Amino acid sequence: LAKTTQPISMDSYEGQEVNITCSHNNIATNDYITWYQQFPSQGPRFIIQGYKTKVTNEVASLFIPADRKSSTLSLPRVSLSDTAVYYCLVGDNGYGQNFVFGPGTRLSVLP
Amino acid sequence: DSGVTQTPKHLITATGQRVTLRCSPRSGDLSVYWYQQSLDQGLQFLIQYYNGEERAKGNILERFSAQQFPDLHSELNLSSLELGDSALYFCASNGRDSYEQYFGPGTRLTVT
């Protein structure tokens, strides 16, 4: 399983764009990169997934360079409600997938 | 609402006891995952079932066991409970060919 490294915490202000980078140097060919968001005492919630280049949905963008050894989750114009822990996961989508959640990045959005 | 339900919401029990946590996956989802989240350990994958069969095993203790029934609901059994087993236990499910896991609200277990 590819290990991931993220910053433990980040601070931002409302309205700013936030970029959280995840390192995964030993990512395998079949591995996808998935990001989840978790609020206190709630289960994680899927944000976005990608394999290479850029993926965008209604809440975030995911940038993956050609070597795929890192990825950046971009949250545009954050609000106070985006304060949460963000997890980067790397793994294949096959059956028997074994998701390994690292410690995540605790994002605090300040007014 | 993710569509995944877990019962009970809260559970308080004593050391040495045994408890059963229940999870009902989203309608149609065949895979069920169990996770443990404690303050000092983060979110730990325990075990996965797919259509009644064990599919993957993570950091699950021998005192813990799980199963998935024909109606696809799953139970996590925790025995000989220790103080360190106090945690939030999450269940998640996803469907065939789906990478997105849907998490339930969790069961908060307190061992005293």
Side-chain angles (χ1 to χ4, degrees), chain A residues 32 34 36 38 41-46 49 87 89 93 95-103, chain B residues 33 35 37 43 45 48 50 55-57 88 90 94 96-101 103-105 108:
Chain A
Y32 283 71
T34 311
Y36 281 81
Q38 186 180 26
S41 298
Q42 294 185 26
R45 185 173 68 103
F46 172 87
Q49 186 188 69
Y87 297 97
L89 281 74
N93 285 334
Y95 303 129
Q97 52 196 313
N98 188 339
F99 287 101
V100 179
F101 283 78
Chain B
Y33 307 77
Y35 293 86
Q37 186 169 40
L43 203 64
F45 168 74
Q48 178 204 0
Y50 178 81
R55 188 59 68 112
K57 222 170 192 177
L88 262 171
F90 289 107
N94 66 357
R96 184 187 179 95
D97 299 330
S98 170
Y99 47 78
E100 180 177 349
Q101 289 189 26
F103 282 78
R108 183 175 293 280

Side-chain angles (χ1 to χ4, degrees), chain B residues 53-104:
Chain B
E53 292 187 6
E54 181 184 305
R55 188 59 68 112
K57 222 170 192 177
N59 299 319
I60 188 166
L61 300 172
E62 285 191 13
R63 300 184 284 109
F64 295 0
S65 65
Q67 54 184 327
Q68 185 180 28
F69 295 86
D71 67 352
L72 301 177
H73 90 271
S74 177
E75 292 181 357
L76 179 67
N77 300 297
L78 315 176
S79 62
S80 302
L81 285 168
E82 302 174 359
L83 295 177
D85 297 327
S86 295
L88 262 171
Y89 290 85
F90 289 107
C91 164
S93 74
N94 66 357
R96 184 187 179 95
D97 299 330
S98 170
Y99 47 78
E100 180 177 349
Q101 289 189 26
Y102 294 85
F103 282 78

Side-chain angles (χ1 to χ4, degrees), chain B residues 16-17 20-21 27 32 34-35 40 44 51 54 73 81 103:
Chain B
Q17 295 299 305
T20 298
L21 312 184
S27 177
V32 169
W34 286 98
Y35 293 86
D40 57 348
Q44 300 282 331
N51 202 20
E54 181 184 305
H73 90 271
L81 285 168
F103 282 78

Side-chain angles (χ1 to χ4, degrees), chain A residues 13-83:
Chain A
Y13 291 95
E14 278 191 292
Q16 290 189 330
E17 178 184 76
V18 171
N19 296 309
I20 306 174
T21 297
C22 178
S23 296
H24 28 79
N25 291 320
N26 58 340
I27 188 170
T29 303
N30 294 334
D31 286 346
Y32 283 71
I33 300 151
T34 311
W35 285 80
Y36 281 81
Q37 174 193 56
Q38 186 180 26
F39 298 111
S41 298
Q42 294 185 26
R45 185 173 68 103
F46 172 87
I47 300 175
I48 197 166
Q49 186 188 69
Y51 183 80
K52 61 181 179 181
T53 63
K54 177 184 174 183
V55 179
T56 298
N57 62 22
E58 62 277 7
V59 298
S61 295
L62 179 59
F63 298 92
I64 306 168
D67 66 6
R68 304 200 328 121
K69 292 184 184 299
S70 66
S71 58
T72 299
L73 173 72
S74 181
L75 305 172
R77 298 179 300 282
V78 294
S79 64
L80 297 176
S81 62
D82 292 317
T83 294

